[in-house]
Amino acid sequence: MSEPELRPKAEKLDAADELAGLRAQFVLDDTVYLDGNSLGALPRSVPGRVEDVVRRQWGSLRIRSWDESGWWTAPERIGDRIAPLVGAAAGQIVVGDSTSVNVFKAVVGAVRLAGGGTEGQPGGRQGPGGKQGPGGRDEILVDATTFPTDGYIAASAARLTGCTLRPVAPEEVPDALSERTAAVLLNHVDYRTGRLHDLPSLTAAIHAVGAVAIWDLCHSAGALPVGLDEHGVDLAVGCTYKYLNGGPGSPAYLYVREDLQPRFDSPLPGWNSHADPFGMTPDYTPAPGALRGRVGTPDILSMLALEAALEVWDDVPIEAVRAKSLALTDFFLECVEAYVPEGAVESLTPSAHAERGSQAALRCAGAGDVMRRLIARGVVGDFREPDVLRFGFTPLYVGFGDVERAARVLGEMF
Ligand SMILES: Cc1ncc(COP(=O)(O)O)c(C=O)c1O
């Protein structure tokens, strides 16, 4: 197809798009914004809410807001708002800290749940789960293609728990698993290529050897159904500033499956996770439920900005978001093929829907420079080392006309 056919096709697809009206709930301009997989756009509901939180809740109510404005319970309340988007029942997610910090809680907590490592051994560190002798669970597997922070934190968690860290490509995890595996940390969608990994079958394989499965949902939550409960995931973490549009540095979240909560032993047992935080006792007793994933005083300003941002999701089924996301990436790849000279770019995005997240990744020579020129022309994606152009498609506010324009302008770069 060529431009005279692709433009009307985009118009037709936009006219039939049942989510098209949601764009009006965001502050956007005439830029084609394809970087929502890095920082989601600003929902219109956020500035007014932040103003109220600052002026009235903080400015007038002051300390009373911990109760009267629901500040104290915000981490679990907002966790329950995120829960349906990732297929979790209420009471299993708390919001707070960064993804990196939650990865730390999850990996150490997973090794303890598995009774792995050397924490409880003579000469090892004391920990309720750590009673494994020689030949026990002493390995943590980490996605070899992971976003770097997960790898760095998992390496530190491995040292602390007396485990060995083994980087493995997600598709090779089934062959790498053994009775020695304590925990496996995987990215649901690869941040560079946009590849979606098979969460149900990998989780089942991890469980088959008695290990604990941890998933990083940064690039999938808000873009596609995750099914945490349905697939029996043990622990999960994710950020809220990408497809959940929570704002720069908005707090992350931690999912701990309900039946594991009584045994979840956080390596960061701050006073907010105490059963009686205002008892101010010297001894630590963990709170019941997901609350034990909390650490210290929640970051109220960004947390309540996130809460306002999540209102966009009222009545939006994640399945409809997924259907539009796949249609957007399909159409983008079709337009790239039509507009970009042959051989100028190579798509890293899997063609099979079952293996595709909500982004397209194109490898090309001089990608950094190409992206700079694209941004100057009003098409905002991003560049990842060494040679990848990334385009993220947020179905809540990206339309098919945007997609056609982005690919057309990209074609003019060569
Ligand atoms: C898969 C993944 N994990 C973690 C992070 C970032 O972690 P943090 O929120 O701690 O900066 C990112 C950021 O892009 C990511 O893509």
Side-chain angles (χ1 to χ4, degrees), residues 98-101 147 149-150 187 189 191 216 218-219 239 241-242:
S98 61
T99 313
S100 305
V101 171
F147 185 85
T149 205
D150 299 47
N187 288 198
V189 171
Y191 78 101
D216 180 331
C218 281
H219 285 273
C239 72
Y241 45 74
K242 301 183 192 292

Side-chain angles (χ1 to χ4, degrees), residues 15 166 182 224 392:
R166 224 174 121 193
L224 50 99

Side-chain angles (χ1 to χ4, degrees), residues 332-343:
F332 181 70
L333 294 173
E334 181 185 349
C335 291
V336 166
E337 205 177 308
Y339 289 137
V340 178
E342 214 180 316

Side-chain angles (χ1 to χ4, degrees), residues 135-217:
R137 295 190 185 273
D138 61 356
E139 255 186 15
I140 299 171
L141 305 187
V142 67
D143 186 337
T145 52
T146 185
F147 185 85
T149 205
D150 299 47
Y152 305 155
I153 301 254
S156 175
R159 273 190 287 137
L160 285 167
T161 55
C163 288
T164 307
L165 184 71
R166 224 174 121 193
V168 181
E171 56 277 18
E172 285 159 19
V173 162
D175 288 336
L177 289 164
S178 74
E179 318 258 274
R180 290 182 58 182
T181 315
V184 184
L185 171 62
L186 294 168
N187 288 198
H188 195 193
V189 171
D190 185 292
Y191 78 101
R192 192 185 272 116
T193 61
R195 177 160 180 192
L196 170 66
H197 296 298
D198 187 345
L199 179 146
S201 81
L202 287 168
T203 303
I206 293 164
H207 286 167
V209 296
V212 175
I214 311 157
W215 286 92
D216 180 331
L217 309 179

